[in-house]
Amino acid sequence: MVVEYFHESLVLLRRLMCWTMEDILYVKRNANEYEEKDKHIEPRLVENFRRHNVPDYVLYYHYNRTLWRKIAAAGDGFWPEVRHFDGVIDSIARFCQASIANATLLIPKSQWNDAVTLHGWYCEKMSKRIYDDLTDIYEAMPGQVIKKPPYVPGC
């Protein structure tokens, strides 16, 4: 997966792993556009970083080339599927921003997915941090003495 091509990577992964569209749905959190980030970094700092992180760049370029080679081999239906997935994720984002607890969102059946109904709690569940999810699981285990994992800031 390459972050700058996240949707393309997810669609390709879905195809390679024989997953459903529902398996790759997500709620975007803490995300910025990379073009915006790059505008604020001085070129000399980028070059300095690149010079001191050669293994990272070698890995990045290898997997970036691999991604594009696999996309090229994916066939004509790949890009329409990515556009469809973009639209589905945009619908989920609008649905979750409305944050109506009892509402539902129907993602209609298409050639790439079966119909999916998302409920308001989906947004809350998908927006939680992993630590919060683990805490809920631990608290749902009555009568068992389980030490909660330590809180790690930023996780």
Side-chain angles (χ1 to χ4, degrees), residues 113-148:
N113 61 277
D114 289 331
V116 178
T117 301
L118 301 179
H119 301 276
W121 54 263
Y122 171 86
C123 301
E124 180 183 340
K125 193 73 167 161
M126 291 300 286
S127 296
K128 283 181 131 182
R129 297 179 318 171
I130 292 171
Y131 175 80
D132 295 334
D133 225 12
L134 290 173
T135 300
D136 290 349
I137 291 168
Y138 289 136
E139 289 173 353
M141 301 169 85
Q144 297 186 26
V145 178
I146 296 176
K147 190 174 180 181
K148 288 185 181 179

PDB file of all heavy atoms in Angstrom, residues 113-148:
ATOM      1  N   ASN A 113     -19.888  -4.310  -5.589  1.00  0.00           N
ATOM      2  CA  ASN A 113     -20.292  -4.596  -4.213  1.00  0.00           C
ATOM      3  C   ASN A 113     -21.759  -4.967  -4.126  1.00  0.00           C
ATOM      4  O   ASN A 113     -22.553  -4.562  -4.965  1.00  0.00           O
ATOM      5  CB  ASN A 113     -20.013  -3.394  -3.298  1.00  0.00           C
ATOM      6  CG  ASN A 113     -20.760  -2.146  -3.699  1.00  0.00           C
ATOM      7  OD1 ASN A 113     -20.317  -1.415  -4.576  1.00  0.00           O
ATOM      8  ND2 ASN A 113     -21.892  -1.880  -3.053  1.00  0.00           N
ATOM      9  N   ASP A 114     -22.067  -5.731  -3.071  1.00  0.00           N
ATOM     10  CA  ASP A 114     -23.460  -5.985  -2.713  1.00  0.00           C
ATOM     11  C   ASP A 114     -23.961  -4.742  -1.983  1.00  0.00           C
ATOM     12  O   ASP A 114     -23.164  -3.907  -1.546  1.00  0.00           O
ATOM     13  CB  ASP A 114     -23.570  -7.202  -1.785  1.00  0.00           C
ATOM     14  CG  ASP A 114     -23.286  -8.505  -2.518  1.00  0.00           C
ATOM     15  OD1 ASP A 114     -23.548  -8.567  -3.736  1.00  0.00           O
ATOM     16  OD2 ASP A 114     -22.787  -9.445  -1.863  1.00  0.00           O
ATOM     17  N   ALA A 115     -25.259  -4.628  -1.828  1.00  0.00           N
ATOM     18  CA  ALA A 115     -25.813  -3.514  -1.058  1.00  0.00           C
ATOM     19  C   ALA A 115     -25.336  -3.627   0.389  1.00  0.00           C
ATOM     20  O   ALA A 115     -25.229  -4.723   0.934  1.00  0.00           O
ATOM     21  CB  ALA A 115     -27.332  -3.530  -1.111  1.00  0.00           C
ATOM     22  N   VAL A 116     -25.009  -2.487   0.974  1.00  0.00           N
ATOM     23  CA  VAL A 116     -24.530  -2.440   2.359  1.00  0.00           C
ATOM     24  C   VAL A 116     -25.334  -1.371   3.085  1.00  0.00           C
ATOM     25  O   VAL A 116     -25.511  -0.273   2.564  1.00  0.00           O
ATOM     26  CB  VAL A 116     -23.024  -2.081   2.423  1.00  0.00           C
ATOM     27  CG1 VAL A 116     -22.551  -1.980   3.858  1.00  0.00           C
ATOM     28  CG2 VAL A 116     -22.193  -3.080   1.644  1.00  0.00           C
ATOM     29  N   THR A 117     -25.808  -1.697   4.270  1.00  0.00           N
ATOM     30  CA  THR A 117     -26.493  -0.714   5.101  1.00  0.00           C
ATOM     31  C   THR A 117     -25.620  -0.411   6.300  1.00  0.00           C
ATOM     32  O   THR A 117     -25.244  -1.310   7.043  1.00  0.00           O
ATOM     33  CB  THR A 117     -27.864  -1.245   5.583  1.00  0.00           C
ATOM     34  OG1 THR A 117     -28.651  -1.560   4.437  1.00  0.00           O
ATOM     35  CG2 THR A 117     -28.578  -0.205   6.427  1.00  0.00           C
ATOM     36  N   LEU A 118     -25.266   0.861   6.458  1.00  0.00           N
ATOM     37  CA  LEU A 118     -24.482   1.304   7.607  1.00  0.00           C
ATOM     38  C   LEU A 118     -25.395   2.045   8.568  1.00  0.00           C
ATOM     39  O   LEU A 118     -26.240   2.825   8.147  1.00  0.00           O
ATOM     40  CB  LEU A 118     -23.346   2.231   7.170  1.00  0.00           C
ATOM     41  CG  LEU A 118     -22.331   1.651   6.188  1.00  0.00           C
ATOM     42  CD1 LEU A 118     -21.294   2.709   5.836  1.00  0.00           C
ATOM     43  CD2 LEU A 118     -21.665   0.420   6.756  1.00  0.00           C
ATOM     44  N   HIS A 119     -25.219   1.788   9.839  1.00  0.00           N
ATOM     45  CA  HIS A 119     -26.011   2.446  10.878  1.00  0.00           C
ATOM     46  C   HIS A 119     -25.167   3.525  11.540  1.00  0.00           C
ATOM     47  O   HIS A 119     -23.946   3.532  11.429  1.00  0.00           O
ATOM     48  CB  HIS A 119     -26.474   1.410  11.906  1.00  0.00           C
ATOM     49  CG  HIS A 119     -27.302   0.336  11.280  1.00  0.00           C
ATOM     50  ND1 HIS A 119     -28.650   0.477  11.048  1.00  0.00           N
ATOM     51  CD2 HIS A 119     -26.970  -0.884  10.794  1.00  0.00           C
ATOM     52  CE1 HIS A 119     -29.105  -0.608  10.450  1.00  0.00           C
ATOM     53  NE2 HIS A 119     -28.111  -1.453  10.282  1.00  0.00           N
ATOM     54  N   GLY A 120     -25.833   4.439  12.234  1.00  0.00           N
ATOM     55  CA  GLY A 120     -25.140   5.552  12.879  1.00  0.00           C
ATOM     56  C   GLY A 120     -24.017   5.123  13.799  1.00  0.00           C
ATOM     57  O   GLY A 120     -22.980   5.774  13.868  1.00  0.00           O
ATOM     58  N   TRP A 121     -24.177   3.978  14.478  1.00  0.00           N
ATOM     59  CA  TRP A 121     -23.125   3.523  15.391  1.00  0.00           C
ATOM     60  C   TRP A 121     -21.860   3.129  14.652  1.00  0.00           C
ATOM     61  O   TRP A 121     -20.773   3.092  15.223  1.00  0.00           O
ATOM     62  CB  TRP A 121     -23.609   2.377  16.281  1.00  0.00           C
ATOM     63  CG  TRP A 121     -24.178   1.207  15.541  1.00  0.00           C
ATOM     64  CD1 TRP A 121     -25.493   0.960  15.300  1.00  0.00           C
ATOM     65  CD2 TRP A 121     -23.447   0.135  14.930  1.00  0.00           C
ATOM     66  NE1 TRP A 121     -25.637  -0.202  14.572  1.00  0.00           N
ATOM     67  CE2 TRP A 121     -24.389  -0.735  14.340  1.00  0.00           C
ATOM     68  CE3 TRP A 121     -22.104  -0.180  14.830  1.00  0.00           C
ATOM     69  CZ2 TRP A 121     -24.016  -1.875  13.645  1.00  0.00           C
ATOM     70  CZ3 TRP A 121     -21.737  -1.327  14.137  1.00  0.00           C
ATOM     71  CH2 TRP A 121     -22.689  -2.161  13.563  1.00  0.00           C
ATOM     72  N   TYR A 122     -21.971   2.834  13.346  1.00  0.00           N
ATOM     73  CA  TYR A 122     -20.797   2.477  12.546  1.00  0.00           C
ATOM     74  C   TYR A 122     -19.773   3.610  12.585  1.00  0.00           C
ATOM     75  O   TYR A 122     -18.584   3.373  12.759  1.00  0.00           O
ATOM     76  CB  TYR A 122     -21.221   2.192  11.101  1.00  0.00           C
ATOM     77  CG  TYR A 122     -20.064   2.035  10.140  1.00  0.00           C
ATOM     78  CD1 TYR A 122     -19.443   0.805   9.979  1.00  0.00           C
ATOM     79  CD2 TYR A 122     -19.592   3.115   9.403  1.00  0.00           C
ATOM     80  CE1 TYR A 122     -18.378   0.661   9.104  1.00  0.00           C
ATOM     81  CE2 TYR A 122     -18.533   2.980   8.526  1.00  0.00           C
ATOM     82  CZ  TYR A 122     -17.931   1.745   8.378  1.00  0.00           C
ATOM     83  OH  TYR A 122     -16.871   1.612   7.517  1.00  0.00           O
ATOM     84  N   CYS A 123     -20.249   4.839  12.456  1.00  0.00           N
ATOM     85  CA  CYS A 123     -19.347   5.995  12.448  1.00  0.00           C
ATOM     86  C   CYS A 123     -18.603   6.114  13.772  1.00  0.00           C
ATOM     87  O   CYS A 123     -17.396   6.338  13.806  1.00  0.00           O
ATOM     88  CB  CYS A 123     -20.121   7.283  12.178  1.00  0.00           C
ATOM     89  SG  CYS A 123     -20.993   7.254  10.596  1.00  0.00           S
ATOM     90  N   GLU A 124     -19.355   5.946  14.845  1.00  0.00           N
ATOM     91  CA  GLU A 124     -18.732   6.031  16.165  1.00  0.00           C
ATOM     92  C   GLU A 124     -17.705   4.916  16.335  1.00  0.00           C
ATOM     93  O   GLU A 124     -16.590   5.147  16.798  1.00  0.00           O
ATOM     94  CB  GLU A 124     -19.793   5.926  17.255  1.00  0.00           C
ATOM     95  CG  GLU A 124     -19.215   6.016  18.654  1.00  0.00           C
ATOM     96  CD  GLU A 124     -20.278   5.830  19.727  1.00  0.00           C
ATOM     97  OE1 GLU A 124     -21.470   6.002  19.427  1.00  0.00           O
ATOM     98  OE2 GLU A 124     -19.883   5.514  20.856  1.00  0.00           O
ATOM     99  N   LYS A 125     -18.074   3.726  15.948  1.00  0.00           N
ATOM    100  CA  LYS A 125     -17.183   2.575  16.098  1.00  0.00           C
ATOM    101  C   LYS A 125     -15.920   2.746  15.252  1.00  0.00           C
ATOM    102  O   LYS A 125     -14.814   2.490  15.717  1.00  0.00           O
ATOM    103  CB  LYS A 125     -17.931   1.310  15.683  1.00  0.00           C
ATOM    104  CG  LYS A 125     -17.257   0.048  16.068  1.00  0.00           C
ATOM    105  CD  LYS A 125     -17.392  -0.163  17.547  1.00  0.00           C
ATOM    106  CE  LYS A 125     -16.998  -1.557  17.928  1.00  0.00           C
ATOM    107  NZ  LYS A 125     -16.705  -1.655  19.343  1.00  0.00           N
ATOM    108  N   MET A 126     -16.091   3.182  14.022  1.00  0.00           N
ATOM    109  CA  MET A 126     -14.942   3.327  13.129  1.00  0.00           C
ATOM    110  C   MET A 126     -14.065   4.530  13.482  1.00  0.00           C
ATOM    111  O   MET A 126     -12.916   4.586  13.076  1.00  0.00           O
ATOM    112  CB  MET A 126     -15.418   3.447  11.674  1.00  0.00           C
ATOM    113  CG  MET A 126     -16.021   2.182  11.129  1.00  0.00           C
ATOM    114  SD  MET A 126     -14.889   0.781  11.129  1.00  0.00           S
ATOM    115  CE  MET A 126     -13.815   1.219   9.789  1.00  0.00           C
ATOM    116  N   SER A 127     -14.604   5.472  14.229  1.00  0.00           N
ATOM    117  CA  SER A 127     -13.836   6.662  14.594  1.00  0.00           C
ATOM    118  C   SER A 127     -13.075   6.482  15.898  1.00  0.00           C
ATOM    119  O   SER A 127     -12.279   7.332  16.264  1.00  0.00           O
ATOM    120  CB  SER A 127     -14.760   7.870  14.711  1.00  0.00           C
ATOM    121  OG  SER A 127     -15.318   8.143  13.457  1.00  0.00           O
ATOM    122  N   LYS A 128     -13.320   5.394  16.594  1.00  0.00           N
ATOM    123  CA  LYS A 128     -12.641   5.162  17.863  1.00  0.00           C
ATOM    124  C   LYS A 128     -11.180   4.799  17.636  1.00  0.00           C
ATOM    125  O   LYS A 128     -10.822   4.204  16.631  1.00  0.00           O
ATOM    126  CB  LYS A 128     -13.297   4.015  18.625  1.00  0.00           C
ATOM    127  CG  LYS A 128     -14.571   4.371  19.297  1.00  0.00           C
ATOM    128  CD  LYS A 128     -15.085   3.164  20.024  1.00  0.00           C
ATOM    129  CE  LYS A 128     -15.444   3.535  21.430  1.00  0.00           C
ATOM    130  NZ  LYS A 128     -15.914   2.386  22.188  1.00  0.00           N
ATOM    131  N   ARG A 129     -10.386   5.110  18.624  1.00  0.00           N
ATOM    132  CA  ARG A 129      -8.999   4.670  18.594  1.00  0.00           C
ATOM    133  C   ARG A 129      -8.954   3.206  19.012  1.00  0.00           C
ATOM    134  O   ARG A 129      -9.835   2.722  19.719  1.00  0.00           O
ATOM    135  CB  ARG A 129      -8.155   5.496  19.556  1.00  0.00           C
ATOM    136  CG  ARG A 129      -8.121   6.959  19.180  1.00  0.00           C
ATOM    137  CD  ARG A 129      -7.319   7.760  20.147  1.00  0.00           C
ATOM    138  NE  ARG A 129      -7.611   7.345  21.519  1.00  0.00           N
ATOM    139  CZ  ARG A 129      -6.930   7.755  22.571  1.00  0.00           C
ATOM    140  NH1 ARG A 129      -5.950   8.589  22.428  1.00  0.00           N
ATOM    141  NH2 ARG A 129      -7.236   7.344  23.775  1.00  0.00           N
ATOM    142  N   ILE A 130      -7.931   2.500  18.612  1.00  0.00           N
ATOM    143  CA  ILE A 130      -7.790   1.086  18.955  1.00  0.00           C
ATOM    144  C   ILE A 130      -7.797   0.908  20.467  1.00  0.00           C
ATOM    145  O   ILE A 130      -8.411  -0.002  20.996  1.00  0.00           O
ATOM    146  CB  ILE A 130      -6.512   0.497  18.334  1.00  0.00           C
ATOM    147  CG1 ILE A 130      -6.664   0.437  16.827  1.00  0.00           C
ATOM    148  CG2 ILE A 130      -6.212  -0.885  18.896  1.00  0.00           C
ATOM    149  CD1 ILE A 130      -5.405   0.067  16.090  1.00  0.00           C
ATOM    150  N   TYR A 131      -7.136   1.795  21.187  1.00  0.00           N
ATOM    151  CA  TYR A 131      -7.086   1.687  22.644  1.00  0.00           C
ATOM    152  C   TYR A 131      -8.499   1.729  23.231  1.00  0.00           C
ATOM    153  O   TYR A 131      -8.819   0.949  24.121  1.00  0.00           O
ATOM    154  CB  TYR A 131      -6.236   2.815  23.228  1.00  0.00           C
ATOM    155  CG  TYR A 131      -6.246   2.828  24.739  1.00  0.00           C
ATOM    156  CD1 TYR A 131      -5.444   1.957  25.452  1.00  0.00           C
ATOM    157  CD2 TYR A 131      -7.087   3.686  25.436  1.00  0.00           C
ATOM    158  CE1 TYR A 131      -5.464   1.948  26.833  1.00  0.00           C
ATOM    159  CE2 TYR A 131      -7.115   3.690  26.818  1.00  0.00           C
ATOM    160  CZ  TYR A 131      -6.296   2.819  27.510  1.00  0.00           C
ATOM    161  OH  TYR A 131      -6.330   2.803  28.873  1.00  0.00           O
ATOM    162  N   ASP A 132      -9.338   2.617  22.718  1.00  0.00           N
ATOM    163  CA  ASP A 132     -10.714   2.718  23.210  1.00  0.00           C
ATOM    164  C   ASP A 132     -11.464   1.416  22.953  1.00  0.00           C
ATOM    165  O   ASP A 132     -12.245   0.956  23.783  1.00  0.00           O
ATOM    166  CB  ASP A 132     -11.455   3.875  22.538  1.00  0.00           C
ATOM    167  CG  ASP A 132     -10.861   5.226  22.904  1.00  0.00           C
ATOM    168  OD1 ASP A 132     -10.247   5.325  23.986  1.00  0.00           O
ATOM    169  OD2 ASP A 132     -11.007   6.158  22.107  1.00  0.00           O
ATOM    170  N   ASP A 133     -11.246   0.813  21.807  1.00  0.00           N
ATOM    171  CA  ASP A 133     -11.891  -0.440  21.466  1.00  0.00           C
ATOM    172  C   ASP A 133     -11.477  -1.545  22.425  1.00  0.00           C
ATOM    173  O   ASP A 133     -12.298  -2.312  22.902  1.00  0.00           O
ATOM    174  CB  ASP A 133     -11.518  -0.832  20.032  1.00  0.00           C
ATOM    175  CG  ASP A 133     -12.701  -1.304  19.228  1.00  0.00           C
ATOM    176  OD1 ASP A 133     -13.839  -1.124  19.683  1.00  0.00           O
ATOM    177  OD2 ASP A 133     -12.468  -1.859  18.144  1.00  0.00           O
ATOM    178  N   LEU A 134     -10.182  -1.629  22.724  1.00  0.00           N
ATOM    179  CA  LEU A 134      -9.689  -2.639  23.656  1.00  0.00           C
ATOM    180  C   LEU A 134     -10.259  -2.426  25.051  1.00  0.00           C
ATOM    181  O   LEU A 134     -10.621  -3.380  25.739  1.00  0.00           O
ATOM    182  CB  LEU A 134      -8.159  -2.623  23.707  1.00  0.00           C
ATOM    183  CG  LEU A 134      -7.454  -3.134  22.458  1.00  0.00           C
ATOM    184  CD1 LEU A 134      -5.945  -2.911  22.568  1.00  0.00           C
ATOM    185  CD2 LEU A 134      -7.765  -4.595  22.214  1.00  0.00           C
ATOM    186  N   THR A 135     -10.356  -1.166  25.453  1.00  0.00           N
ATOM    187  CA  THR A 135     -10.925  -0.861  26.762  1.00  0.00           C
ATOM    188  C   THR A 135     -12.365  -1.344  26.836  1.00  0.00           C
ATOM    189  O   THR A 135     -12.775  -1.936  27.833  1.00  0.00           O
ATOM    190  CB  THR A 135     -10.845   0.658  27.039  1.00  0.00           C
ATOM    191  OG1 THR A 135      -9.480   1.044  26.998  1.00  0.00           O
ATOM    192  CG2 THR A 135     -11.438   1.008  28.386  1.00  0.00           C
ATOM    193  N   ASP A 136     -13.145  -1.129  25.772  1.00  0.00           N
ATOM    194  CA  ASP A 136     -14.537  -1.607  25.744  1.00  0.00           C
ATOM    195  C   ASP A 136     -14.599  -3.126  25.890  1.00  0.00           C
ATOM    196  O   ASP A 136     -15.455  -3.657  26.593  1.00  0.00           O
ATOM    197  CB  ASP A 136     -15.225  -1.197  24.435  1.00  0.00           C
ATOM    198  CG  ASP A 136     -15.482   0.299  24.350  1.00  0.00           C
ATOM    199  OD1 ASP A 136     -15.326   0.987  25.384  1.00  0.00           O
ATOM    200  OD2 ASP A 136     -15.818   0.764  23.253  1.00  0.00           O
ATOM    201  N   ILE A 137     -13.701  -3.822  25.225  1.00  0.00           N
ATOM    202  CA  ILE A 137     -13.689  -5.289  25.304  1.00  0.00           C
ATOM    203  C   ILE A 137     -13.376  -5.734  26.731  1.00  0.00           C
ATOM    204  O   ILE A 137     -14.043  -6.604  27.282  1.00  0.00           O
ATOM    205  CB  ILE A 137     -12.661  -5.877  24.310  1.00  0.00           C
ATOM    206  CG1 ILE A 137     -13.155  -5.658  22.878  1.00  0.00           C
ATOM    207  CG2 ILE A 137     -12.422  -7.368  24.590  1.00  0.00           C
ATOM    208  CD1 ILE A 137     -12.114  -5.935  21.817  1.00  0.00           C
ATOM    209  N   TYR A 138     -12.364  -5.121  27.339  1.00  0.00           N
ATOM    210  CA  TYR A 138     -11.999  -5.481  28.708  1.00  0.00           C
ATOM    211  C   TYR A 138     -13.137  -5.205  29.683  1.00  0.00           C
ATOM    212  O   TYR A 138     -13.433  -6.013  30.557  1.00  0.00           O
ATOM    213  CB  TYR A 138     -10.747  -4.727  29.165  1.00  0.00           C
ATOM    214  CG  TYR A 138      -9.478  -5.195  28.499  1.00  0.00           C
ATOM    215  CD1 TYR A 138      -8.549  -4.285  28.032  1.00  0.00           C
ATOM    216  CD2 TYR A 138      -9.199  -6.553  28.329  1.00  0.00           C
ATOM    217  CE1 TYR A 138      -7.381  -4.709  27.418  1.00  0.00           C
ATOM    218  CE2 TYR A 138      -8.040  -6.981  27.721  1.00  0.00           C
ATOM    219  CZ  TYR A 138      -7.133  -6.059  27.266  1.00  0.00           C
ATOM    220  OH  TYR A 138      -5.991  -6.480  26.668  1.00  0.00           O
ATOM    221  N   GLU A 139     -13.793  -4.079  29.512  1.00  0.00           N
ATOM    222  CA  GLU A 139     -14.877  -3.717  30.424  1.00  0.00           C
ATOM    223  C   GLU A 139     -16.113  -4.598  30.227  1.00  0.00           C
ATOM    224  O   GLU A 139     -16.932  -4.730  31.116  1.00  0.00           O
ATOM    225  CB  GLU A 139     -15.229  -2.243  30.257  1.00  0.00           C
ATOM    226  CG  GLU A 139     -14.137  -1.343  30.820  1.00  0.00           C
ATOM    227  CD  GLU A 139     -14.367   0.127  30.523  1.00  0.00           C
ATOM    228  OE1 GLU A 139     -15.304   0.465  29.761  1.00  0.00           O
ATOM    229  OE2 GLU A 139     -13.580   0.938  31.045  1.00  0.00           O
ATOM    230  N   ALA A 140     -16.240  -5.225  29.078  1.00  0.00           N
ATOM    231  CA  ALA A 140     -17.390  -6.096  28.796  1.00  0.00           C
ATOM    232  C   ALA A 140     -17.196  -7.507  29.336  1.00  0.00           C
ATOM    233  O   ALA A 140     -18.043  -8.357  29.150  1.00  0.00           O
ATOM    234  CB  ALA A 140     -17.640  -6.146  27.289  1.00  0.00           C
ATOM    235  N   MET A 141     -16.092  -7.757  29.996  1.00  0.00           N
ATOM    236  CA  MET A 141     -15.804  -9.091  30.521  1.00  0.00           C
ATOM    237  C   MET A 141     -16.037  -9.101  32.029  1.00  0.00           C
ATOM    238  O   MET A 141     -15.098  -9.004  32.806  1.00  0.00           O
ATOM    239  CB  MET A 141     -14.371  -9.480  30.183  1.00  0.00           C
ATOM    240  CG  MET A 141     -14.083  -9.479  28.694  1.00  0.00           C
ATOM    241  SD  MET A 141     -12.347  -9.638  28.309  1.00  0.00           S
ATOM    242  CE  MET A 141     -12.151 -11.393  28.366  1.00  0.00           C
ATOM    243  N   PRO A 142     -17.312  -9.216  32.463  1.00  0.00           N
ATOM    244  CA  PRO A 142     -17.608  -9.144  33.892  1.00  0.00           C
ATOM    245  C   PRO A 142     -17.018 -10.321  34.670  1.00  0.00           C
ATOM    246  O   PRO A 142     -16.930 -11.431  34.165  1.00  0.00           O
ATOM    247  CB  PRO A 142     -19.137  -9.172  33.941  1.00  0.00           C
ATOM    248  CG  PRO A 142     -19.539  -9.844  32.675  1.00  0.00           C
ATOM    249  CD  PRO A 142     -18.478  -9.514  31.668  1.00  0.00           C
ATOM    250  N   GLY A 143     -16.597 -10.030  35.908  1.00  0.00           N
ATOM    251  CA  GLY A 143     -16.109 -11.073  36.793  1.00  0.00           C
ATOM    252  C   GLY A 143     -14.681 -11.503  36.538  1.00  0.00           C
ATOM    253  O   GLY A 143     -14.153 -12.335  37.243  1.00  0.00           O
ATOM    254  N   GLN A 144     -14.060 -10.959  35.537  1.00  0.00           N
ATOM    255  CA  GLN A 144     -12.681 -11.328  35.254  1.00  0.00           C
ATOM    256  C   GLN A 144     -11.768 -10.188  35.669  1.00  0.00           C
ATOM    257  O   GLN A 144     -12.067  -9.028  35.408  1.00  0.00           O
ATOM    258  CB  GLN A 144     -12.492 -11.632  33.777  1.00  0.00           C
ATOM    259  CG  GLN A 144     -13.303 -12.827  33.319  1.00  0.00           C
ATOM    260  CD  GLN A 144     -12.970 -13.188  31.892  1.00  0.00           C
ATOM    261  OE1 GLN A 144     -11.893 -12.903  31.418  1.00  0.00           O
ATOM    262  NE2 GLN A 144     -13.910 -13.821  31.215  1.00  0.00           N
ATOM    263  N   VAL A 145     -10.681 -10.535  36.302  1.00  0.00           N
ATOM    264  CA  VAL A 145      -9.718  -9.518  36.704  1.00  0.00           C
ATOM    265  C   VAL A 145      -8.701  -9.403  35.580  1.00  0.00           C
ATOM    266  O   VAL A 145      -7.860 -10.276  35.392  1.00  0.00           O
ATOM    267  CB  VAL A 145      -9.018  -9.894  38.030  1.00  0.00           C
ATOM    268  CG1 VAL A 145      -8.004  -8.851  38.407  1.00  0.00           C
ATOM    269  CG2 VAL A 145     -10.052 -10.085  39.124  1.00  0.00           C
ATOM    270  N   ILE A 146      -8.834  -8.343  34.847  1.00  0.00           N
ATOM    271  CA  ILE A 146      -7.917  -8.106  33.735  1.00  0.00           C
ATOM    272  C   ILE A 146      -7.371  -6.698  33.886  1.00  0.00           C
ATOM    273  O   ILE A 146      -8.129  -5.740  34.019  1.00  0.00           O
ATOM    274  CB  ILE A 146      -8.629  -8.244  32.376  1.00  0.00           C
ATOM    275  CG1 ILE A 146      -9.107  -9.686  32.201  1.00  0.00           C
ATOM    276  CG2 ILE A 146      -7.703  -7.842  31.245  1.00  0.00           C
ATOM    277  CD1 ILE A 146      -9.891  -9.925  30.949  1.00  0.00           C
ATOM    278  N   LYS A 147      -6.079  -6.598  33.858  1.00  0.00           N
ATOM    279  CA  LYS A 147      -5.443  -5.299  33.963  1.00  0.00           C
ATOM    280  C   LYS A 147      -5.577  -4.583  32.626  1.00  0.00           C
ATOM    281  O   LYS A 147      -5.300  -5.158  31.571  1.00  0.00           O
ATOM    282  CB  LYS A 147      -3.966  -5.488  34.323  1.00  0.00           C
ATOM    283  CG  LYS A 147      -3.266  -4.237  34.684  1.00  0.00           C
ATOM    284  CD  LYS A 147      -1.854  -4.556  35.152  1.00  0.00           C
ATOM    285  CE  LYS A 147      -1.145  -3.286  35.528  1.00  0.00           C
ATOM    286  NZ  LYS A 147       0.224  -3.561  35.960  1.00  0.00           N
ATOM    287  N   LYS A 148      -6.039  -3.345  32.663  1.00  0.00           N
ATOM    288  CA  LYS A 148      -6.174  -2.570  31.437  1.00  0.00           C
ATOM    289  C   LYS A 148      -4.787  -2.245  30.889  1.00  0.00           C
ATOM    290  O   LYS A 148      -3.848  -2.048  31.654  1.00  0.00           O
ATOM    291  CB  LYS A 148      -6.925  -1.261  31.696  1.00  0.00           C
ATOM    292  CG  LYS A 148      -8.385  -1.452  31.956  1.00  0.00           C
ATOM    293  CD  LYS A 148      -9.066  -0.116  32.087  1.00  0.00           C
ATOM    294  CE  LYS A 148     -10.537  -0.275  32.378  1.00  0.00           C
ATOM    295  NZ  LYS A 148     -11.200   0.992  32.527  1.00  0.00           N
TER     296      LYS A 148
END
